[in-house]
Amino acid sequence: MNTFKTVKKKFKSAFEEILAKENNYEIDEAALPAYAHKNVLIDYLFWKRIRVAFDFGNSNGHGKKVLDFGCGSGVLSYLLAQNDYEVTACDLEFGPLNLVREKIEFPKNIDFVEGDIATKDFPDGSFDLIFALDVLEHVENLEDYIRLFNRLLTPNGIVIVSGPTENILYKIGRKFAGDRFTGDYHVTNIASIKDKFNNHNSVRTVKKLIVPFVLFEVFAATKNKLSNTNG
């Protein structure tokens, strides 16, 4: 079992090698420039979100069948699989992930599914946990995916979500980070996403990443809405 620090070091090295040779929109949207960034604050923010989401999911004992929705470069999928989860890793297209897989051998207990998960034939209750990290701010028909997630979850299953606040300081920080930071087409922010989940699920804040202002938030949405615990 690899520690988070070991996984981070391995992936950062792979990302740096890829970025030295490749420069395209898909790589930028998969956040490789962010995860390989030399700035200490940017490095902290991007890797901390993964650590917070993973630690929360791993501490709840909700089972080992996991969907990594919008898996991007595959960091979280790799980390989960190394910790004995059965992982389904999905994204609309696997261009950046395939470059990473040329440099890193992924565990066998990951099922890679390319394309829109809504078009795939997964039975109800297929997953104990669904991770959607920094992806739902791109989704226009969010209510449809919330209903899909709830159908795919086991009873009391959890969706763990992270996303940007999109406040003015976040936008300034994104410009400061460099030209390879995209996201201008974000259709929503984490507060709006959280509100929509709260219409269907019991929602609670896991962590707000503050440096010293809130740039990102991680929250958890439980399938069965027994009470409003929205943080």
Side-chain angles (χ1 to χ4, degrees):
M1 182 185 301
N2 290 341
T3 65
F4 184 85
K5 184 177 180 180
T6 302
V7 172
K8 176 181 176 180
K9 182 178 180 180
K10 178 184 295 187
F11 274 83
K12 282 199 73 166
S13 177
F15 295 163
E16 289 168 355
E17 291 180 22
I18 293 168
L19 290 167
K21 298 178 180 179
E22 305 283 347
N23 184 355
N24 60 56
Y25 177 81
E26 287 74 23
I27 285 175
D28 294 352
E29 276 305 307
L32 268 65
Y35 290 117
H37 208 285
K38 302 299 184 182
N39 182 277
V40 174
L41 177 58
I42 294 171
D43 176 90
Y44 166 80
L45 283 171
F46 277 81
W47 287 98
K48 185 66 172 180
R49 292 173 300 169
I50 294 178
R51 182 65 182 268
V52 167
F54 170 76
D55 285 348
F56 179 82
N58 198 39
S59 67
N60 276 270
H62 274 82
K64 289 292 187 177
K65 294 182 179 180
V66 177
L67 171 64
D68 185 5
F69 177 80
C71 63
S73 60
V75 175
L76 178 62
S77 293
Y78 182 98
L79 185 64
L80 289 163
Q82 284 287 311
N83 285 270
D84 301 322
Y85 286 87
E86 298 175 33
V87 182
T88 298
C90 75
D91 213 322
L92 291 178
E93 64 90 29
F94 278 171
L97 177 61
N98 289 338
L99 292 174
V100 178
R101 292 176 72 187
E102 291 175 5
K103 299 184 178 298
I104 295 176
E105 182 178 357
F106 279 68
K108 303 298 184 184
N109 50 323
I110 303 177
D111 180 22
F112 292 100
V113 178
E114 188 172 18
D116 188 347
I117 196 72
T119 67
K120 309 302 179 182
D121 188 23
F122 286 102
D124 294 0
S126 292
F127 303 106
D128 304 302
L129 292 169
I130 296 175
F131 290 85
L133 306 188
D134 304 291
V135 62
L136 297 181
E137 61 270 20
H138 303 282
V139 176
E140 294 185 2
N141 53 332
L142 182 56
E143 294 274 1
D144 293 339
Y145 280 91
I146 293 173
R147 285 188 284 269
L148 173 64
F149 291 161
N150 281 318
R151 181 180 71 77
L152 294 176
L153 283 172
T154 53
N156 296 313
I158 296 176
V159 185
I160 300 171
V161 179
S162 72
T165 59
E166 291 288 344
N167 61 31
I168 186 63
L169 294 172
Y170 168 84
K171 292 178 180 179
I172 291 172
R174 189 170 62 197
K175 290 183 180 298
F176 170 77
D179 293 337
R180 300 194 68 176
F181 284 72
T182 55
D184 290 337
Y185 72 98
H186 291 180
V187 296
T188 187
N189 57 44
I190 193 65
S192 179
I193 294 168
K194 193 175 182 182
D195 285 343
K196 285 184 170 59
F197 267 96
N198 202 44
N199 292 330
H200 304 267
N201 301 74
S202 294
V203 177
R204 59 168 161 155
T205 299
V206 175
K207 190 173 184 65
K208 294 182 179 181
L209 299 182
I210 306 172
V211 284
F213 37 80
V214 179
L215 294 179
F216 291 90
E217 182 177 339
V218 182
F219 72 80
T222 304
K223 179 176 180 178
N224 290 338
K225 185 170 182 177
L226 302 179
S227 63
N228 184 346
T229 56
N230 188 13

